[in-house]
Amino acid sequence: MTQLTNSAPLRGEITIPGDKSISHRSVMFGALSKGTTEITNFLYGADCLSTIGCFRQMGIDIEQKEEGRLIVHGKGMRGLSAPGSHLDVGNSGTTTRLISGILSAQPFTSVLSGDDSLNSRPMGRIITPLTRMGAKIESIRGDGCAPLRIDGTNSLHGITYHSPVASAQVKSSILLAGLYADGVTSVTEPVLSRNHTELMLCKFGASVSTEISADASARISILPCQELYGQKIHVPGDISSAAYFIAAALLVPGSELLIKNVGTNPTRAGILKVCQDMGADITYVNETAEGGEQTADLLVRSSSLHGTVVEGRLIPTLIDEIPMIAVLAAFADGTTVIRDAAELKVKETDRIRTVTENLTRMGGDVTPTEDGMIIRGGKALHGTVINPYLDHRIAMAFSVAALASDGVTDILDSSCVDVSYPGFFASLKSLTV
Ligand code: S3P
């Protein structure tokens, strides 16, 4: 448990740890490459450690060095060996869904299983397209969830899959299987989801193209590939982790915080647009780009916020930040409507439910809907006991709420933040004393 109270202004600067999505992919693509992949600013969070563990079980030598340096000794696209036991994917949906695409094409059988939350998340969304490609993949309990058994095959075929959801995990799973297919593999999605897989696979030597239509739908295609090549990867800071510090600086009066090295890839940066729509004072400094990934330092000053509407094409660009946005909305003047976000129900928890429950406990006025929430802001929030139900993003969003609320807040099972941000509470405390 961690106890938090009303905070002094946040001042100074903070450097945000590496991006979780990019960290996962750098291990996976490095493992499948010829030669060495050297990664800096890697996120040593529990989810990424699950990915490292799985590839070690398949014979990949991965050296964990100091301060986010990681070296992956790749064995090429056909160099993985059969794991001696089931692959433990922990709490990580990204590990599970992306690795399933890879395992579908390996010459061995594997079983993937995770914790209770992971094993209750929907895997039909990857089982269906991978099966259409010729993969042999089944939900062992027959409920469409992990544990999954994958009997790898060397006869995958290219398909065009029209994904009903904008999900980078689904898209990436199919594209990774497509590396091993006998022809072009294409995925369409209603809106382009985070595009780290496409950018990084191109860097590692694969041929990937993206077309965006006038209605914003996307078609991503990959060609079969013979070999990927080890790379140097510098992982930008995770905007999903930065979101908590952006929000804390906005909400605690008198704050002025420089948040350094934040990934601002437009397929991820929707939170910045929403904050600006709500009246936030955020200045971009030191904008750079490397390997197609944009980064910036963000200077955030406390601001009085007003309600907004968060919907449509914006949703995939901020899906993981919605718990934080809901908390910001509770402190803003007026009403905020979040819609088109039914995907919230299939995250580490049903985040419509866990946000509503915890915000209500703090005195917030929130109505859950089928695909989002309506939050009537401007109510004074008070400290309480927060149950994140082991969901890292709920624990962090409500820790920030505690800083701007009256009284004492207890965050139960607060170590769940280690999934994506092991030093979170230490960083928060260092800025708020
Ligand atoms: C991720 C994609 C998103 C996101 C998750 C990480 C990724 O999930 O919520 O935290 O790294 O590809 P979906 O693909 O289910 O939207």
Side-chain angles (χ1 to χ4, degrees):
M1 189 187 85
T2 296
Q3 201 158 70
L4 296 155
T5 53
N6 209 292
S7 165
L10 287 85
R11 293 195 162 264
E13 58 181 54
I14 176 170
T15 301
I16 295 297
D19 186 273
K20 181 157 82 70
S21 295
I22 296 175
S23 294
H24 279 298
R25 287 158 171 82
S26 61
V27 173
M28 295 183 186
F29 305 167
L32 298 180
S33 292
K34 216 170 141 180
T36 298
T37 290
E38 192 175 333
I39 307 157
T40 47
N41 203 35
F42 183 84
L43 173 69
Y44 286 125
D47 267 12
C48 301
L49 294 176
S50 296
T51 293
I52 291 178
C54 290
F55 281 92
R56 281 188 174 145
Q57 275 185 267
M58 292 189 285
I60 301 297
D61 178 15
I62 301 172
E63 295 176 69
Q64 281 174 245
K65 303 282 196 186
E66 71 299 336
E67 289 182 8
R69 218 159 68 78
L70 190 80
I71 301 184
V72 181
H73 297 277
K75 288 199 169 171
M77 285 186 54
R78 287 163 187 81
L80 299 180
S81 43
S85 57
H86 86 266
L87 295 168
D88 182 3
V89 291
N91 190 244
S92 177
T94 305
T95 310
T96 312
R97 295 194 177 113
L98 269 62
I99 222 174
S100 295
I102 297 169
L103 293 175
S104 295
Q106 302 307 314
F108 50 77
T109 293
S110 41
V111 173
L112 296 176
S113 187
D115 65 13
D116 289 346
S117 155
L118 187 282
N119 285 352
S120 62
R121 296 178 66 185
M123 294 299 152
R125 52 180 58 199
I126 54 154
I127 295 175
T128 300
L130 292 175
T131 303
R132 272 194 50 209
M133 294 179 79
K136 297 184 177 56
I137 169 166
E138 65 161 353
S139 157
I140 290 175
R141 291 194 309 246
D143 58 357
C145 301
L148 301 177
R149 178 192 159 99
I150 303 176
D151 294 308
T153 167
N154 64 0
S155 57
L156 295 183
H157 20 267
I159 60 166
T160 295
Y161 183 67
H162 299 292
S163 177
V165 282
S167 160
Q169 294 180 356
V170 171
K171 168 177 66 179
S172 303
S173 182
I174 299 167
L175 294 177
L176 287 167
L179 287 172
Y180 296 89
D182 61 4
V184 182
T185 299
S186 300
V187 184
T188 69
E189 39 183 8
V191 182
L192 183 68
S193 63
R194 65 187 67 191
N195 63 352
H196 309 302
T197 296
E198 296 93 301
L199 295 173
M200 291 177 73
L201 278 179
C202 282
K203 194 171 153 105
F204 278 83
S207 178
V208 189
S209 61
T210 302
E211 296 157 62
I212 309 284
S213 302
D215 65 356
S217 65
R219 181 186 186 94
I220 304 94
S221 301
I222 192 162
L223 296 181
C225 180
Q226 287 311 315
E227 206 72 79
L228 299 172
Y229 299 95
Q231 297 296 319
K232 279 194 165 38
I233 306 281
H234 181 73
V235 182
D238 195 326
I239 190 164
S240 299
S241 300
Y244 307 107
F245 290 93
I246 296 170
L250 290 174
L251 291 180
V252 177
S255 298
E256 180 169 319
L257 186 63
L258 183 65
I259 306 177
K260 297 181 80 169
N261 180 38
V262 181
T264 51
N265 177 323
T267 63
R268 290 286 298 283
I271 174 109
L272 297 176
K273 179 175 185 317
V274 168
C275 286
Q276 275 151 353
D277 287 349
M278 295 177 86
D281 180 349
I282 302 178
T283 311
Y284 287 51
V285 246
N286 292 329
E287 292 183 71
T288 57
E290 196 190 309
E293 295 287 354
Q294 291 154 242
T295 61
D297 297 344
L298 304 174
L299 181 63
V300 184
R301 296 190 183 90
S302 54
S303 309
S304 49
L305 303 178
H306 48 80
T308 187
V309 177
V310 187
E311 62 181 350
R313 295 175 190 178
L314 210 49
I315 296 293
T317 70
L318 48 67
I319 188 73
D320 291 341
E321 287 66 77
I322 291 179
M324 193 65 262
I325 291 170
V327 168
L328 285 172
F331 287 96
D333 282 339
T335 299
T336 293
V337 179
I338 300 170
R339 56 176 162 244
D340 306 322
E343 279 292 297
L344 290 172
K345 294 180 184 169
V346 291
K347 295 297 177 187
E348 286 82 333
T349 56
D350 172 348
R351 289 182 177 158
I352 296 180
R353 187 179 65 73
T354 48
V355 167
T356 301
E357 178 183 318
N358 285 305
L359 207 45
T360 306
R361 290 175 69 82
M362 294 192 92
D365 182 351
V366 50
T367 308
T369 63
E370 262 315 294
D371 64 350
M373 290 162 248
I374 301 166
I375 299 139
R376 286 162 289 272
K379 312 276 179 301
L381 299 196
H382 53 75
T384 183
V385 175
I386 295 294
N387 189 345
Y389 296 96
L390 302 177
D391 183 336
H392 55 134
R393 301 211 184 279
I394 301 296
M396 290 189 275
F398 283 90
S399 298
V400 172
L403 303 182
S405 300
D406 291 334
V408 177
T409 298
D410 292 328
I411 312 283
L412 300 180
D413 301 318
S414 51
S415 62
C416 66
V417 303
D418 291 354
V419 158
S420 63
Y421 201 154
F424 175 73
F425 287 109
S427 294
L428 199 60
K429 282 182 181 156
S430 74
L431 291 170
T432 54
V433 284

